[in-house]
Amino acid sequence: MTATLSSAAPQTLKDYYRILESGTDSYQDGAALRPLLGDHLDFTGSLAGHLPDATDGFLAGVAGFIATVKQIEIIHDVHNSDGSAVLYTATMPGGPMTFAEFFTFNGGRITSLNLHYNGPEYIEKGGR
């Protein structure tokens, strides 16, 4: 399973999605993901709400996603020098669902992430 981004995608995002699909054995405590994130990640998500200093919490939360996702299929991605937007379908234990992620970068690291998805549907389909 490989999430395929367009050739315009920054390497940071290619690495990010590779890690999301790597499985729990590879993810462990998020050591591979941490260098891709700013020290004070500004995160907004459907279940978490807005967390202005969320790097550690995000690393813990994404572990649940990694444990349940079976495949990520990129629908569309758009990039410029300041950020990226990615629309994708993730195959969950209870079926596929759609996510949209909006990223900003600084120095090759993700400094903000705004994640849109249906929170109740995520839980219903086995997300944790």
Side-chain angles (χ1 to χ4, degrees), residues 4-66:
T4 304
L5 294 162
S6 69
S7 61
Q11 189 60 48
T12 301
L13 275 192
K14 292 175 184 176
D15 294 342
Y16 173 84
Y17 284 103
R18 178 185 46 77
I19 291 165
L20 289 187
E21 288 191 311
S22 68
T24 55
D25 290 343
S26 295
Y27 184 72
Q28 297 174 9
D29 65 351
L33 186 57
R34 181 175 289 279
L36 303 180
L37 305 176
D39 293 332
H40 303 283
L41 176 69
D42 188 322
F43 176 76
T44 302
S46 297
L47 294 175
H50 178 238
L51 304 169
D53 190 3
T55 303
D56 291 335
F58 179 77
L59 290 168
V62 79
F65 178 80
I66 289 171

Side-chain angles (χ1 to χ4, degrees), residues 40-105:
H40 303 283
L41 176 69
D42 188 322
F43 176 76
T44 302
S46 297
L47 294 175
H50 178 238
L51 304 169
D53 190 3
T55 303
D56 291 335
F58 179 77
L59 290 168
V62 79
F65 178 80
I66 289 171
T68 57
V69 71
K70 297 177 181 181
Q71 182 177 6
I72 294 174
E73 180 181 346
I74 304 297
I75 298 168
H76 192 65
D77 56 306
V78 179
H79 313 279
N80 69 27
S81 60
D82 297 322
S84 294
V86 180
L87 179 66
Y88 64 92
T89 298
T91 303
M92 308 291 293
M97 66 177 293
T98 302
F99 296 82
E101 293 186 297
F102 299 88
F103 302 87
T104 58
F105 305 100

